[in-house]
Amino acid sequence: MLDLGKYIIFSLLSIFLSISSFSETRKFNIGKIATKQEVAGWDIDIRPDGLGAPKGSGDALSGEEVYAERCASCHGDFGEGIDRWPELVGGSGTLSSHDPVKTTGSYWPYASTIYDYVYRSMPFGEAQSLTYDETYKIVAYLLNMNDIIDEDFILSNKNIGKIKMPNRNGFLLPDPRPDVKNLNGNPCMKNCNTPTKIIGKARDIDVTPEDEKS
Amino acid sequence: MAKEKKDIISRRSVIKAGVGLGALGLSSKSLLAKEANNKNLPPNVPEWTETLGDGVDVNPYGMPSEFESNVIRRNVEWLTASTESSVNFTPLQDLEGIVTPNGLCFERHHGGTAIINPIDYRLMINGLVDREMIFTLDDLKRFPQVNKFYFLECAANGGMEWKGSQLNGCQYTFGMVHNVQYTGVKLFDLIQETGLKNNAKWVLAEGSDSSGMTRSIPIEKIKDDCIIAWAMNGEALRPEQGYPIRLVVPGWEGNMWVKWLRRIEFGDKPYMTREETSKYTDLLSDGKARMFTWVMDAKSVITSPCPEKPVLQKGIHQIRGLAWSGRGKIKRVDVSLDGGKNWKTAQLHSPVLEKSLTRFTIPFEWNGEEMLLQSRAIDETNYVQPTIKELQNIRGVNSIYHNNSIATWLISKNGKVDNVRLG
């Protein structure tokens, strides 16, 4: 009996200790614990390895229709971009040119990013209105238009982390700045050798907005 | 196809309508009379002395003088497809000291300004924490608070000037920066509440606006100085600056300062969001791009004279300017009147705070001759603000972001000032 009493006391003590250690880690005791359901509704991001990708699938063939309906009015039927809305297709081989064209095909390093972005913020002004399957279809359509997957390839949560994007290795890490010559806080102060000829004026380019004259 | 065309037209007309309204806003006529009214000058008694003025409460929330109606944010319409995903610029040329008035802080939206009733505001913290949690605005205000001045600069500030001088104004070439005092709670204090798993190395900050803005931030920065802010310059955040809550990431590019913040997720790897891969990466001339270039390097600009502030008469004037560095305090600013051949050190005005705009001035005399004005910042790490040529030699001209080079203002013989490129 004595042992049982000891056991009870020990149990109560351990419960008390665990409660007190819990409140110790919660320094201020502010806020509430989020439920799984609450988190699931907001936690929509997807990582390059596919972590977070919701269950679903779609191919480019069925994606064409969704794209035409939800995307083409701004981005064009073939992802060429209308007016100043972004082009989504092409640009391959232009990144080192005078006029680089950065599209999902030529520049974006991860397919997951396309899904994540399309789902969270497209169509412009109708964010998070696409279904998971519609989003997979649109992404598959874009990947196919950029010659990254075949038109009958079924893109899904299982393989979106494995798509190899053309510019996957086009990014440099870490940040090498400061990358200019280290002057150690002592730049030239007098008779410095620097060109002072005017070679361009913004006024001549004439693209600066002007206030209406009074 | 017919339907698509209709969509395009309606989209266009919507945009057009929006732009039209914007233009109306900008077109307020200057109220500055060209000539002074002799009736108001000595020895006469001015009209405002002879009559009573407005009583209190005519403007329960005070506004600037009607004669300052030209001191406004401005955008460059041709830059973007719509004003909801666009930027405007702070009128630095009209401001003094280091504090940017709230209504003049430049705006950068990706899906327009979210309007959030604070009663409906929630901040979620999830991922690699011991307890996934939700905080209300009142909850956040119960934590110990901090009050800090920081500059916020868009990484694309000056982005149009890589190839040559393009926009003829201090506002358009340097105005994607502002400086306010933030009130909030250190993000690290919230982590003390949620606990943190050992393998948590990255944070995803997510906005609740229509773009669902997301950026990855390394955990070291979070532990260092990031703030969850609800106030700027003593009052609640403006809606366009993230009301009721924005993230403050001192010294780092503005895109990371997520507005209308709804969620902080901890993970063991970066999330590689659209903003940190397809945007805000710095394309070099060989076609490779730098990624995660977060810090804003030291920079300065002469805010007067400048293209918007011509020199109106000969004699003594004060060069006024701003300098800042994402790596700490400004140590020194030099000014040249001859395009960088000879330099003089300007006076820094207190307070000189780390990762904050710093005001400098230096007097100069204009005798009616041409002058090439430049300013050059040096920060406490001894980094010296470079010339555009130095940056171009290393990065080419297509990187868009992180142009912190020295600008040149040409004062012409008629006193007009131009943004020019030297070479």
Side-chain angles (χ1 to χ4, degrees):
Chain A
M1 286 299 112
L2 197 63
D3 281 348
L4 183 61
K6 262 186 183 173
Y7 175 75
I8 291 168
I9 290 167
F10 179 77
S11 303
L12 286 173
L13 194 65
S14 63
I15 289 167
F16 174 74
L17 280 174
S18 70
I19 288 169
S20 66
S21 77
F22 185 73
S23 64
E24 259 171 35
T25 49
R26 284 191 66 177
K27 193 172 166 189
F28 303 102
N29 271 312
I30 300 173
K32 71 156 204 136
I33 303 296
T35 67
K36 280 203 164 100
Q37 210 178 1
E38 287 171 326
V39 173
W42 279 15
D43 185 4
I44 56 171
D45 60 85
I46 301 173
R47 257 180 14 185
D49 55 10
L51 186 74
K55 251 189 195 169
S57 64
D59 62 12
L61 282 170
S62 52
E64 185 171 1
E65 197 182 332
V66 188
Y67 177 89
E69 177 99 357
R70 309 299 302 274
C71 320
S73 63
C74 292
H75 295 291
D77 286 341
F78 306 102
E80 73 276 17
I82 290 172
D83 296 337
R84 290 198 60 81
W85 300 103
E87 49 197 305
L88 307 177
V89 171
S92 173
T94 66
L95 295 182
S96 59
S97 75
H98 289 298
D99 191 17
V101 179
K102 297 191 264 187
T103 72
T104 52
S106 68
Y107 197 63
W108 292 44
Y110 303 103
S112 63
T113 311
I114 310 176
Y115 185 103
D116 178 275
Y117 181 68
V118 170
Y119 183 77
R120 75 170 52 249
S121 49
M122 290 291 119
F124 192 59
E126 296 170 68
Q128 298 183 36
S129 66
L130 296 166
T131 66
Y132 299 147
D133 282 348
E134 283 174 333
T135 312
Y136 281 110
K137 287 176 188 177
I138 290 169
V139 177
Y141 180 71
L142 289 174
L143 293 174
N144 175 247
M145 292 284 280
N146 280 297
D147 298 325
I148 295 163
I149 59 172
D150 293 330
E151 61 181 11
D152 56 356
F153 181 91
I154 296 167
L155 186 70
S156 73
N157 54 304
K158 295 209 175 82
N159 59 27
I160 194 164
K162 293 175 187 140
I163 302 294
K164 183 97 176 91
M165 298 293 279
N167 198 39
R168 168 68 187 85
N169 297 318
F171 294 87
L172 305 171
L173 286 167
D175 182 358
R177 295 175 305 152
D179 51 357
V180 291
K181 190 179 168 192
N182 182 1
L183 300 174
N184 204 22
N186 287 308
C188 172
M189 293 295 282
K190 288 219 174 311
N191 301 317
C192 309
N193 179 25
T194 186
T196 56
K197 192 183 157 211
I198 294 168
I199 57 169
K201 278 190 185 182
R203 181 183 301 276
D204 299 337
I205 310 276
D206 198 23
V207 292
T208 309
E210 281 182 40
D211 289 356
E212 263 179 47
K213 297 279 186 291
S214 54
Chain B
M1 194 65 209
K3 186 186 179 302
E4 286 157 31
K5 259 200 180 140
K6 199 172 141 222
D7 284 349
I8 294 163
I9 290 162
S10 69
R11 166 72 71 196
R12 274 187 187 145
S13 50
V14 165
I15 293 160
K16 236 181 174 175
V19 168
L21 287 172
L24 277 178
L26 289 180
S27 69
S28 55
K29 286 183 179 175
S30 169
L31 293 165
L32 293 171
K34 297 259 189 303
E35 299 279 337
N37 184 348
N38 269 329
K39 283 191 229 162
N40 292 326
L41 303 181
N44 302 317
V45 178
E47 52 195 74
W48 55 87
T49 309
E50 293 175 330
T51 55
L52 288 174
D54 286 340
V56 297
D57 285 350
V58 168
N59 292 305
Y61 191 101
M63 297 297 285
S65 158
E66 62 188 290
F67 302 104
E68 298 296 317
S69 61
N70 63 324
V71 182
I72 50 172
R73 300 179 286 218
R74 292 180 173 85
N75 79 350
V76 179
E77 281 178 22
W78 54 262
L79 269 179
T80 52
S82 86
T83 54
E84 294 87 1
S85 181
S86 192
V87 65
N88 59 18
F89 301 81
T90 306
L92 298 177
Q93 71 278 2
D94 294 305
L95 303 181
E96 307 283 0
I98 62 168
V99 177
T100 314
N102 287 342
L104 295 175
C105 290
F106 81 95
E107 304 169 86
R108 172 72 172 108
H109 309 320
H110 296 75
T113 297
I115 302 299
I116 301 170
N117 185 329
I119 290 172
D120 296 335
Y121 177 78
R122 295 293 182 276
L123 177 67
M124 178 182 286
I125 299 186
N126 72 309
L128 297 178
V129 289
D130 297 328
R131 289 168 294 281
E132 297 188 316
M133 295 187 69
I134 291 175
F135 299 94
T136 64
L137 188 58
D138 281 341
D139 289 339
L140 294 175
K141 290 180 178 179
R142 289 169 57 202
F143 285 93
Q145 67 167 236
V146 290
N147 287 279
K148 290 278 204 178
F149 280 97
Y150 289 119
F151 78 83
L152 183 165
E153 185 184 18
C154 175
N157 200 17
M160 284 82 75
E161 306 292 300
W162 273 101
K163 292 181 184 176
S165 296
Q166 186 166 212
L167 290 166
N168 204 26
C170 174
Q171 182 165 6
Y172 295 121
T173 52
F174 283 85
M176 281 197 266
V177 65
H178 59 65
N179 199 63
V180 305
Q181 186 186 39
Y182 293 98
T183 304
V185 50
K186 290 191 84 172
L187 181 43
F188 189 65
D189 276 343
L190 298 187
I191 302 173
Q192 297 196 45
E193 207 63 2
T194 61
L196 199 60
K197 306 273 194 213
N198 285 334
N199 55 339
K201 302 288 178 220
W202 289 84
V203 163
L204 182 77
E206 181 179 75
S208 64
D209 60 318
S210 180
S211 78
M213 171 62 55
T214 42
R215 284 295 302 254
S216 305
I217 304 168
I219 195 100
E220 293 79 15
K221 182 65 176 174
I222 298 295
K223 288 181 174 173
D224 184 18
D225 57 5
C226 291
I227 297 172
I228 304 275
W230 58 79
M232 57 195 289
N233 290 335
E235 62 178 2
L237 294 179
R238 291 291 168 90
E240 67 270 29
Q241 303 298 340
Y243 181 89
I245 290 284
R246 89 172 308 161
L247 185 61
V248 172
V249 191
W252 288 17
E253 60 190 20
N255 183 251
M256 307 176 84
W257 300 45
V258 174
K259 300 190 281 190
W260 313 289
L261 185 72
R262 76 164 190 175
R263 195 166 66 92
I264 296 282
E265 180 176 343
F266 289 89
D268 58 352
K269 290 177 188 167
Y271 292 80
M272 299 297 182
T273 71
R274 179 250 197 186
E275 299 297 317
E276 60 209 18
T277 55
S278 75
K279 307 285 175 183
Y280 301 94
T281 46
D282 315 341
L283 187 61
L284 307 177
S285 48
D286 66 357
K288 298 278 185 192
R290 291 179 183 172
M291 183 178 250
F292 295 161
T293 49
W294 300 309
V295 180
M296 300 309 295
D297 276 325
K299 191 168 180 178
S300 67
V301 60
I302 293 173
T303 55
S304 179
C306 69
E308 298 95 327
K309 296 287 170 191
V311 187
L312 300 175
Q313 48 185 313
K314 291 179 186 173
I316 289 286
H317 294 270
Q318 304 296 321
I319 286 176
R320 295 194 279 271
L322 292 165
W324 59 97
S325 169
R327 297 184 198 272
K329 287 180 183 169
I330 287 296
K331 183 175 162 186
R332 195 178 101 195
V333 176
D334 300 328
V335 169
S336 173
L337 305 177
D338 58 5
K341 283 200 180 308
N342 295 284
W343 297 84
K344 276 187 180 167
T345 297
Q347 180 194 348
L348 299 185
H349 294 252
S350 63
V352 177
L353 304 169
E354 65 164 26
K355 301 167 188 171
S356 164
L357 294 192
T358 298
R359 176 62 66 176
F360 69 88
T361 61
I362 188 170
F364 85 111
E365 188 164 359
W366 188 58
N367 60 11
E369 294 299 307
E370 278 191 1
M371 277 185 174
L372 293 166
L373 267 50
Q374 294 184 338
S375 66
R376 175 176 73 188
I378 302 171
D379 70 15
E380 64 180 338
T381 71
N382 278 334
Y383 174 88
V384 179
Q385 185 183 359
T387 64
I388 185 72
K389 195 79 198 157
E390 287 174 279
L391 290 187
Q392 287 171 338
N393 287 344
I394 297 162
R395 305 183 202 164
V397 294
N398 285 328
S399 66
I400 301 173
Y401 306 104
H402 294 288
N403 174 8
N404 67 316
S405 64
I406 295 168
T408 308
W409 303 145
L410 161 72
I411 306 179
S412 297
K413 288 181 177 173
N414 59 9
K416 278 190 178 172
V417 180
D418 273 296
N419 174 21
V420 299
R421 180 62 45 88
L422 305 181

